[in-house]
Amino acid sequence: NAGVTQTPKFQVLKTGQSMTLQCAQDMNHEYMSWYRQDPGMGLRLIHYSVGAGITDQGEVPNGYNVSRSTTEDFPLRLLSAAPSQTSVYFCASSSDRTNEKLFFGSGTQLSVL
Amino acid sequence: KQEVTQIPAALSVPEGENLVLNCSFTDSAIYNLQWFRQDPGKGLTSLLLIQSSQREQTSGRLNASLDKSSGRSTLYIAASQPGDSATYLCAVWTGANSKLTFGKGITLSVRP
């Protein structure tokens, strides 16, 4: 059982470049979310989705876009990378966000130069 | 706005000691509280989930309690082992938009 799969694991970008972080889950979870983790700041919610076709902003959405065309996939797009977006990004999913455990992917370490 | 606090930020104990990790939150209107473990360079693993109507949950050597009215939770680890060394984070689901708010974690080191 793969769980939550994130790709790539590491990425280096130049300022202004765009890229997509991939997230896929095979547990048929309706709820999916993206977090970034920064030293001293903890985990902060970027965007989340409660089902295919439904997305909403989290705490720090600026500079990021998401879409949810299928239950399985929830990609995160960086439109024009900035050094402030250097971070570790985690995707997480749950079958019921208020009643069930949250499952995390292994993360993507992103550096923007 | 919900705030979750975990103090201290780091803890070092000898192997075999029973220990308690604390978590406090400011808004008692929560749906549930989860304790997570994070190993260096890895994602988070949910250890225990306590619903707002529950007082505690147990899994092996781990026991988590919840006192919603006082805004506190504790994670009790019995007979600690070096393999328990990791960062432990608590998180609460709060509010109409059901936002999950994380504490910054406690980095635990268990010395052999």
Side-chain angles (χ1 to χ4, degrees), chain A residues 43-101:
Chain A
L43 279 147
R44 293 180 292 171
L45 181 65
I46 304 171
H47 285 285
Y48 66 98
S49 168
V50 297
I54 306 170
T55 63
D56 204 350
Q57 295 181 350
E59 187 181 354
V60 288
N62 293 340
Y64 307 96
N65 272 0
V66 292
S67 60
R68 183 96 179 269
S69 57
T70 68
T71 299
E72 294 78 20
D73 300 298
F74 191 44
L76 178 72
R77 298 182 186 84
L78 278 69
L79 308 174
S80 178
S84 62
Q85 294 178 305
T86 294
S87 186
V88 181
Y89 291 84
F90 289 102
C91 178
S93 73
S94 175
S95 59
D96 181 336
R97 55 183 166 158
T98 60
N99 290 302
E100 299 296 331
K101 289 182 177 181

Short mmCIF file of all heavy atoms in Angstrom, two decimals, chain A residues 43-101:
data_model
loop_
_atom_site.label_atom_id
_atom_site.label_comp_id
_atom_site.label_asym_id
_atom_site.label_seq_id
_atom_site.Cartn_x
_atom_site.Cartn_y
_atom_site.Cartn_z
N LEU A 43 4.61 23.92 10.82
CA LEU A 43 3.88 23.53 9.62
C LEU A 43 2.76 24.53 9.35
O LEU A 43 1.97 24.84 10.25
CB LEU A 43 3.26 22.14 9.80
CG LEU A 43 4.22 20.99 9.56
CD1 LEU A 43 3.89 19.82 10.47
CD2 LEU A 43 4.14 20.55 8.11
N ARG A 44 2.68 25.00 8.13
CA ARG A 44 1.64 25.97 7.75
C ARG A 44 0.90 25.47 6.52
O ARG A 44 1.51 25.02 5.56
CB ARG A 44 2.26 27.35 7.48
CG ARG A 44 2.83 28.00 8.73
CD ARG A 44 3.44 29.36 8.41
NE ARG A 44 4.64 29.25 7.58
CZ ARG A 44 5.26 30.27 7.03
NH1 ARG A 44 4.78 31.49 7.17
NH2 ARG A 44 6.35 30.08 6.30
N LEU A 45 -0.42 25.60 6.57
CA LEU A 45 -1.28 25.10 5.51
C LEU A 45 -1.27 26.05 4.31
O LEU A 45 -1.49 27.26 4.46
CB LEU A 45 -2.71 24.95 6.04
CG LEU A 45 -3.77 24.43 5.09
CD1 LEU A 45 -3.46 22.98 4.69
CD2 LEU A 45 -5.14 24.53 5.73
N ILE A 46 -1.05 25.50 3.12
CA ILE A 46 -1.00 26.32 1.90
C ILE A 46 -2.37 26.30 1.20
O ILE A 46 -2.98 27.34 0.99
CB ILE A 46 0.08 25.80 0.94
CG1 ILE A 46 1.46 25.74 1.63
CG2 ILE A 46 0.16 26.71 -0.30
CD1 ILE A 46 2.52 25.04 0.80
N HIS A 47 -2.80 25.12 0.80
CA HIS A 47 -4.11 24.92 0.16
C HIS A 47 -4.64 23.57 0.60
O HIS A 47 -3.88 22.70 0.99
CB HIS A 47 -3.99 24.92 -1.37
CG HIS A 47 -3.80 26.26 -1.99
ND1 HIS A 47 -4.81 27.19 -2.12
CD2 HIS A 47 -2.70 26.82 -2.56
CE1 HIS A 47 -4.33 28.28 -2.73
NE2 HIS A 47 -3.06 28.08 -3.00
N TYR A 48 -5.96 23.42 0.48
CA TYR A 48 -6.55 22.13 0.77
C TYR A 48 -7.74 21.87 -0.14
O TYR A 48 -8.25 22.79 -0.81
CB TYR A 48 -6.96 22.00 2.25
CG TYR A 48 -8.08 22.91 2.69
CD1 TYR A 48 -9.39 22.44 2.75
CD2 TYR A 48 -7.83 24.22 3.08
CE1 TYR A 48 -10.42 23.26 3.17
CE2 TYR A 48 -8.86 25.05 3.50
CZ TYR A 48 -10.16 24.57 3.55
OH TYR A 48 -11.17 25.39 3.97
N SER A 49 -8.16 20.61 -0.16
CA SER A 49 -9.29 20.20 -1.01
C SER A 49 -10.13 19.18 -0.26
O SER A 49 -9.58 18.27 0.35
CB SER A 49 -8.77 19.60 -2.31
OG SER A 49 -9.81 18.96 -3.02
N VAL A 50 -11.44 19.34 -0.32
CA VAL A 50 -12.33 18.39 0.36
C VAL A 50 -12.96 17.40 -0.63
O VAL A 50 -13.81 16.60 -0.25
CB VAL A 50 -13.42 19.10 1.17
CG1 VAL A 50 -12.79 19.93 2.29
CG2 VAL A 50 -14.28 19.99 0.28
N GLY A 51 -12.53 17.46 -1.89
CA GLY A 51 -13.00 16.51 -2.88
C GLY A 51 -12.65 17.00 -4.27
O GLY A 51 -12.24 18.16 -4.45
N ALA A 52 -12.81 16.14 -5.26
CA ALA A 52 -12.49 16.50 -6.64
C ALA A 52 -13.29 17.74 -7.05
O ALA A 52 -14.50 17.81 -6.81
CB ALA A 52 -12.80 15.33 -7.57
N GLY A 53 -12.59 18.70 -7.63
CA GLY A 53 -13.21 19.93 -8.10
C GLY A 53 -13.38 21.01 -7.06
O GLY A 53 -13.84 22.11 -7.36
N ILE A 54 -12.98 20.73 -5.80
CA ILE A 54 -13.16 21.68 -4.71
C ILE A 54 -11.81 21.97 -4.05
O ILE A 54 -11.16 21.04 -3.54
CB ILE A 54 -14.13 21.13 -3.64
CG1 ILE A 54 -15.45 20.71 -4.26
CG2 ILE A 54 -14.35 22.19 -2.55
CD1 ILE A 54 -16.35 19.94 -3.32
N THR A 55 -11.39 23.22 -4.07
CA THR A 55 -10.16 23.60 -3.39
C THR A 55 -10.40 24.89 -2.60
O THR A 55 -11.33 25.64 -2.89
CB THR A 55 -8.99 23.83 -4.38
OG1 THR A 55 -9.31 24.92 -5.24
CG2 THR A 55 -8.71 22.59 -5.20
N ASP A 56 -9.55 25.13 -1.62
CA ASP A 56 -9.66 26.35 -0.83
C ASP A 56 -8.29 26.73 -0.32
O ASP A 56 -7.37 25.91 -0.26
CB ASP A 56 -10.63 26.16 0.33
CG ASP A 56 -11.24 27.47 0.81
OD1 ASP A 56 -10.75 28.55 0.38
OD2 ASP A 56 -12.16 27.43 1.64
N GLN A 57 -8.17 28.02 0.05
CA GLN A 57 -6.89 28.53 0.52
C GLN A 57 -6.67 28.22 1.98
O GLN A 57 -7.61 28.19 2.78
CB GLN A 57 -6.85 30.05 0.30
CG GLN A 57 -6.89 30.46 -1.15
CD GLN A 57 -6.81 31.97 -1.31
OE1 GLN A 57 -6.91 32.71 -0.33
NE2 GLN A 57 -6.62 32.42 -2.54
N GLY A 58 -5.41 28.03 2.32
CA GLY A 58 -5.02 27.87 3.70
C GLY A 58 -4.44 29.15 4.25
O GLY A 58 -4.84 30.26 3.88
N GLU A 59 -3.44 28.99 5.08
CA GLU A 59 -2.83 30.11 5.80
C GLU A 59 -1.88 30.93 4.94
O GLU A 59 -1.79 32.15 5.06
CB GLU A 59 -2.08 29.54 7.01
CG GLU A 59 -1.51 30.55 7.98
CD GLU A 59 -0.78 29.85 9.13
OE1 GLU A 59 -0.83 28.61 9.21
OE2 GLU A 59 -0.14 30.56 9.92
N VAL A 60 -1.14 30.26 4.02
CA VAL A 60 -0.11 30.93 3.23
C VAL A 60 -0.24 30.57 1.76
O VAL A 60 0.63 29.92 1.18
CB VAL A 60 1.31 30.59 3.76
CG1 VAL A 60 1.57 31.27 5.08
CG2 VAL A 60 1.49 29.09 3.90
N PRO A 61 -1.32 30.98 1.07
CA PRO A 61 -1.57 30.55 -0.30
C PRO A 61 -0.86 31.34 -1.40
O PRO A 61 -0.79 30.86 -2.54
CB PRO A 61 -3.08 30.75 -0.43
CG PRO A 61 -3.35 31.94 0.44
CD PRO A 61 -2.40 31.80 1.62
N ASN A 62 -0.34 32.53 -1.07
CA ASN A 62 0.19 33.40 -2.11
C ASN A 62 1.39 32.77 -2.80
O ASN A 62 2.33 32.31 -2.18
CB ASN A 62 0.57 34.75 -1.53
CG ASN A 62 -0.65 35.54 -1.07
OD1 ASN A 62 -1.76 35.26 -1.50
ND2 ASN A 62 -0.44 36.48 -0.18
N GLY A 63 1.36 32.79 -4.16
CA GLY A 63 2.44 32.25 -4.95
C GLY A 63 2.25 30.79 -5.32
O GLY A 63 3.10 30.23 -6.02
N TYR A 64 1.15 30.21 -4.89
CA TYR A 64 0.87 28.79 -5.14
C TYR A 64 -0.53 28.62 -5.74
O TYR A 64 -1.45 29.32 -5.36
CB TYR A 64 0.92 27.97 -3.85
CG TYR A 64 2.17 28.11 -3.04
CD1 TYR A 64 2.22 29.03 -1.98
CD2 TYR A 64 3.30 27.34 -3.29
CE1 TYR A 64 3.36 29.16 -1.21
CE2 TYR A 64 4.44 27.46 -2.52
CZ TYR A 64 4.47 28.38 -1.49
OH TYR A 64 5.60 28.50 -0.71
N ASN A 65 -0.65 27.67 -6.66
CA ASN A 65 -1.95 27.28 -7.21
C ASN A 65 -2.15 25.79 -7.05
O ASN A 65 -1.19 25.02 -7.08
CB ASN A 65 -2.03 27.62 -8.70
CG ASN A 65 -2.53 29.04 -8.93
OD1 ASN A 65 -2.81 29.76 -7.99
ND2 ASN A 65 -2.62 29.42 -10.19
N VAL A 66 -3.41 25.38 -6.90
CA VAL A 66 -3.74 23.96 -6.85
C VAL A 66 -4.97 23.69 -7.71
O VAL A 66 -5.72 24.61 -8.04
CB VAL A 66 -4.02 23.47 -5.42
CG1 VAL A 66 -2.77 23.50 -4.55
CG2 VAL A 66 -5.15 24.28 -4.78
N SER A 67 -5.14 22.44 -8.05
CA SER A 67 -6.36 21.97 -8.71
C SER A 67 -6.59 20.53 -8.25
O SER A 67 -5.66 19.85 -7.80
CB SER A 67 -6.23 22.04 -10.23
OG SER A 67 -5.14 21.23 -10.67
N ARG A 68 -7.80 20.07 -8.36
CA ARG A 68 -8.12 18.69 -7.95
C ARG A 68 -9.10 18.11 -8.98
O ARG A 68 -10.31 18.22 -8.85
CB ARG A 68 -8.76 18.71 -6.54
CG ARG A 68 -9.05 17.30 -6.00
CD ARG A 68 -7.97 16.81 -5.11
NE ARG A 68 -8.25 15.49 -4.56
CZ ARG A 68 -8.87 15.28 -3.38
NH1 ARG A 68 -9.29 16.31 -2.67
NH2 ARG A 68 -9.06 14.07 -2.96
N SER A 69 -8.54 17.54 -10.01
CA SER A 69 -9.37 16.98 -11.07
C SER A 69 -9.77 15.54 -10.78
O SER A 69 -10.78 15.04 -11.32
CB SER A 69 -8.65 17.06 -12.43
OG SER A 69 -7.41 16.38 -12.35
N THR A 70 -9.02 14.84 -9.95
CA THR A 70 -9.35 13.47 -9.56
C THR A 70 -9.25 13.34 -8.05
O THR A 70 -8.63 14.16 -7.39
CB THR A 70 -8.41 12.45 -10.21
OG1 THR A 70 -7.09 12.61 -9.65
CG2 THR A 70 -8.35 12.60 -11.72
N THR A 71 -9.83 12.28 -7.51
CA THR A 71 -9.71 12.04 -6.07
C THR A 71 -8.27 11.76 -5.68
O THR A 71 -7.82 12.12 -4.60
CB THR A 71 -10.60 10.85 -5.65
OG1 THR A 71 -11.96 11.16 -5.94
CG2 THR A 71 -10.47 10.54 -4.17
N GLU A 72 -7.50 11.11 -6.58
CA GLU A 72 -6.17 10.63 -6.25
C GLU A 72 -5.09 11.71 -6.24
O GLU A 72 -4.12 11.62 -5.49
CB GLU A 72 -5.76 9.53 -7.23
CG GLU A 72 -6.58 8.26 -7.15
CD GLU A 72 -7.93 8.40 -7.85
OE1 GLU A 72 -8.08 9.32 -8.70
OE2 GLU A 72 -8.83 7.60 -7.54
N ASP A 73 -5.21 12.71 -7.08
CA ASP A 73 -4.10 13.63 -7.32
C ASP A 73 -4.39 15.06 -6.86
O ASP A 73 -5.50 15.57 -7.06
CB ASP A 73 -3.75 13.65 -8.82
CG ASP A 73 -3.35 12.29 -9.32
OD1 ASP A 73 -2.34 11.77 -8.82
OD2 ASP A 73 -4.05 11.75 -10.20
N PHE A 74 -3.37 15.71 -6.31
CA PHE A 74 -3.52 17.08 -5.82
C PHE A 74 -2.19 17.80 -6.04
O PHE A 74 -1.40 17.96 -5.12
CB PHE A 74 -3.92 17.06 -4.35
CG PHE A 74 -4.35 18.39 -3.80
CD1 PHE A 74 -5.20 19.23 -4.50
CD2 PHE A 74 -3.92 18.80 -2.54
CE1 PHE A 74 -5.61 20.44 -3.99
CE2 PHE A 74 -4.33 20.02 -2.01
CZ PHE A 74 -5.18 20.85 -2.73
N PRO A 75 -1.91 18.25 -7.25
CA PRO A 75 -0.63 18.91 -7.53
C PRO A 75 -0.58 20.35 -7.01
O PRO A 75 -1.60 21.05 -6.98
CB PRO A 75 -0.55 18.88 -9.05
CG PRO A 75 -1.98 18.83 -9.50
CD PRO A 75 -2.72 18.05 -8.45
N LEU A 76 0.61 20.76 -6.63
CA LEU A 76 0.85 22.12 -6.15
C LEU A 76 1.76 22.82 -7.16
O LEU A 76 2.86 22.34 -7.43
CB LEU A 76 1.53 22.10 -4.78
CG LEU A 76 1.88 23.46 -4.17
CD1 LEU A 76 0.61 24.19 -3.72
CD2 LEU A 76 2.83 23.29 -2.98
N ARG A 77 1.32 23.95 -7.68
CA ARG A 77 2.09 24.69 -8.68
C ARG A 77 2.69 25.96 -8.09
O ARG A 77 1.97 26.75 -7.47
CB ARG A 77 1.19 25.03 -9.87
CG ARG A 77 0.65 23.83 -10.59
CD ARG A 77 -0.20 24.21 -11.79
NE ARG A 77 -0.83 23.05 -12.39
CZ ARG A 77 -1.96 22.52 -11.97
NH1 ARG A 77 -2.62 23.08 -10.96
NH2 ARG A 77 -2.46 21.46 -12.56
N LEU A 78 3.98 26.11 -8.32
CA LEU A 78 4.64 27.36 -8.00
C LEU A 78 4.70 28.18 -9.29
O LEU A 78 5.27 27.74 -10.29
CB LEU A 78 6.06 27.13 -7.48
CG LEU A 78 6.20 26.75 -6.00
CD1 LEU A 78 5.64 25.35 -5.74
CD2 LEU A 78 7.65 26.85 -5.56
N LEU A 79 4.12 29.34 -9.28
CA LEU A 79 3.92 30.10 -10.51
C LEU A 79 5.20 30.79 -10.96
O LEU A 79 5.56 30.76 -12.12
CB LEU A 79 2.82 31.13 -10.30
CG LEU A 79 1.51 30.53 -9.74
CD1 LEU A 79 0.52 31.65 -9.41
CD2 LEU A 79 0.92 29.54 -10.72
N SER A 80 5.89 31.44 -10.02
CA SER A 80 7.14 32.15 -10.28
C SER A 80 7.95 32.08 -8.99
O SER A 80 7.73 32.87 -8.08
CB SER A 80 6.87 33.61 -10.68
OG SER A 80 8.09 34.29 -10.87
N ALA A 81 8.85 31.09 -8.92
CA ALA A 81 9.51 30.76 -7.66
C ALA A 81 10.31 31.95 -7.11
O ALA A 81 10.95 32.70 -7.86
CB ALA A 81 10.42 29.57 -7.86
N ALA A 82 10.24 32.08 -5.79
CA ALA A 82 10.98 33.12 -5.07
C ALA A 82 11.80 32.46 -3.96
O ALA A 82 11.41 31.40 -3.45
CB ALA A 82 10.02 34.14 -4.47
N PRO A 83 12.92 33.08 -3.55
CA PRO A 83 13.72 32.49 -2.46
C PRO A 83 12.92 32.23 -1.20
O PRO A 83 13.22 31.29 -0.45
CB PRO A 83 14.81 33.54 -2.24
CG PRO A 83 14.98 34.18 -3.58
CD PRO A 83 13.60 34.24 -4.17
N SER A 84 11.88 33.02 -0.95
CA SER A 84 11.03 32.83 0.24
C SER A 84 10.24 31.53 0.19
O SER A 84 9.67 31.11 1.21
CB SER A 84 10.06 34.01 0.39
OG SER A 84 9.19 34.07 -0.73
N GLN A 85 10.21 30.89 -0.98
CA GLN A 85 9.50 29.62 -1.11
C GLN A 85 10.43 28.43 -0.87
O GLN A 85 10.00 27.28 -0.99
CB GLN A 85 8.82 29.52 -2.47
CG GLN A 85 7.70 30.53 -2.63
CD GLN A 85 7.04 30.47 -3.99
OE1 GLN A 85 7.71 30.57 -5.03
NE2 GLN A 85 5.73 30.29 -4.02
N THR A 86 11.68 28.68 -0.53
CA THR A 86 12.58 27.61 -0.10
C THR A 86 12.03 27.00 1.18
O THR A 86 11.84 27.71 2.18
CB THR A 86 13.99 28.15 0.13
OG1 THR A 86 14.54 28.59 -1.12
CG2 THR A 86 14.90 27.09 0.74
N SER A 87 11.75 25.70 1.14
CA SER A 87 11.07 25.07 2.27
C SER A 87 10.99 23.57 2.01
O SER A 87 11.39 23.08 0.95
CB SER A 87 9.66 25.65 2.42
OG SER A 87 9.03 25.16 3.58
N VAL A 88 10.45 22.86 2.98
CA VAL A 88 10.07 21.46 2.78
C VAL A 88 8.55 21.41 2.67
O VAL A 88 7.84 21.94 3.53
CB VAL A 88 10.55 20.57 3.94
CG1 VAL A 88 10.16 19.12 3.68
CG2 VAL A 88 12.06 20.68 4.12
N TYR A 89 8.07 20.79 1.61
CA TYR A 89 6.64 20.74 1.33
C TYR A 89 6.10 19.34 1.58
O TYR A 89 6.68 18.35 1.13
CB TYR A 89 6.38 21.15 -0.13
CG TYR A 89 6.67 22.60 -0.38
CD1 TYR A 89 7.96 23.04 -0.66
CD2 TYR A 89 5.65 23.55 -0.30
CE1 TYR A 89 8.24 24.37 -0.87
CE2 TYR A 89 5.92 24.89 -0.51
CZ TYR A 89 7.22 25.29 -0.78
OH TYR A 89 7.48 26.63 -0.98
N PHE A 90 4.99 19.28 2.29
CA PHE A 90 4.35 18.01 2.60
C PHE A 90 2.92 18.01 2.08
O PHE A 90 2.19 18.98 2.25
CB PHE A 90 4.31 17.76 4.11
CG PHE A 90 5.65 17.46 4.70
CD1 PHE A 90 6.34 18.43 5.40
CD2 PHE A 90 6.22 16.20 4.57
CE1 PHE A 90 7.58 18.16 5.95
CE2 PHE A 90 7.46 15.92 5.12
CZ PHE A 90 8.14 16.90 5.81
N CYS A 91 2.55 16.89 1.49
CA CYS A 91 1.17 16.64 1.11
C CYS A 91 0.58 15.68 2.15
O CYS A 91 1.28 14.80 2.66
CB CYS A 91 1.13 16.01 -0.28
SG CYS A 91 -0.50 15.58 -0.87
N ALA A 92 -0.69 15.87 2.48
CA ALA A 92 -1.33 15.02 3.48
C ALA A 92 -2.76 14.75 3.06
O ALA A 92 -3.40 15.58 2.40
CB ALA A 92 -1.30 15.68 4.85
N SER A 93 -3.29 13.59 3.47
CA SER A 93 -4.67 13.24 3.11
C SER A 93 -5.36 12.53 4.26
O SER A 93 -4.71 11.98 5.15
CB SER A 93 -4.69 12.37 1.85
OG SER A 93 -4.23 11.06 2.14
N SER A 94 -6.69 12.54 4.20
CA SER A 94 -7.49 11.89 5.22
C SER A 94 -8.84 11.51 4.63
O SER A 94 -9.34 12.19 3.74
CB SER A 94 -7.68 12.81 6.42
OG SER A 94 -8.55 12.24 7.38
N SER A 95 -9.43 10.44 5.16
CA SER A 95 -10.76 10.05 4.69
C SER A 95 -11.84 10.96 5.27
O SER A 95 -12.89 11.16 4.66
CB SER A 95 -11.04 8.60 5.07
OG SER A 95 -10.96 8.45 6.48
N ASP A 96 -11.57 11.52 6.45
CA ASP A 96 -12.52 12.42 7.11
C ASP A 96 -11.70 13.35 7.99
O ASP A 96 -11.18 12.90 9.01
CB ASP A 96 -13.52 11.61 7.94
CG ASP A 96 -14.55 12.50 8.63
OD1 ASP A 96 -14.27 13.69 8.86
OD2 ASP A 96 -15.64 11.99 8.93
N ARG A 97 -11.57 14.59 7.60
CA ARG A 97 -10.58 15.47 8.22
C ARG A 97 -10.83 15.71 9.70
O ARG A 97 -9.90 16.02 10.43
CB ARG A 97 -10.52 16.81 7.49
CG ARG A 97 -11.84 17.52 7.37
CD ARG A 97 -11.72 18.78 6.57
NE ARG A 97 -13.01 19.29 6.18
CZ ARG A 97 -13.24 20.54 5.85
NH1 ARG A 97 -12.25 21.41 5.85
NH2 ARG A 97 -14.44 20.93 5.49
N THR A 98 -12.06 15.58 10.16
CA THR A 98 -12.30 15.87 11.57
C THR A 98 -12.41 14.61 12.42
O THR A 98 -12.51 14.69 13.63
CB THR A 98 -13.57 16.70 11.76
OG1 THR A 98 -14.69 15.98 11.25
CG2 THR A 98 -13.45 18.05 11.08
N ASN A 99 -12.39 13.44 11.79
CA ASN A 99 -12.60 12.21 12.54
C ASN A 99 -11.52 11.16 12.34
O ASN A 99 -11.48 10.17 13.07
CB ASN A 99 -13.95 11.58 12.19
CG ASN A 99 -15.10 12.40 12.72
OD1 ASN A 99 -15.19 12.65 13.92
ND2 ASN A 99 -15.97 12.85 11.84
N GLU A 100 -10.69 11.33 11.32
CA GLU A 100 -9.72 10.29 11.00
C GLU A 100 -8.30 10.88 10.96
O GLU A 100 -8.11 12.07 10.76
CB GLU A 100 -10.04 9.65 9.66
CG GLU A 100 -11.39 8.96 9.61
CD GLU A 100 -11.48 7.78 10.55
OE1 GLU A 100 -10.44 7.15 10.81
OE2 GLU A 100 -12.60 7.49 11.02
N LYS A 101 -7.33 9.98 11.10
CA LYS A 101 -5.93 10.39 11.09
C LYS A 101 -5.55 11.01 9.75
O LYS A 101 -6.10 10.67 8.71
CB LYS A 101 -5.03 9.19 11.37
CG LYS A 101 -5.08 8.68 12.80
CD LYS A 101 -4.11 7.53 12.99
CE LYS A 101 -4.09 7.06 14.44
NZ LYS A 101 -3.13 5.94 14.64
#
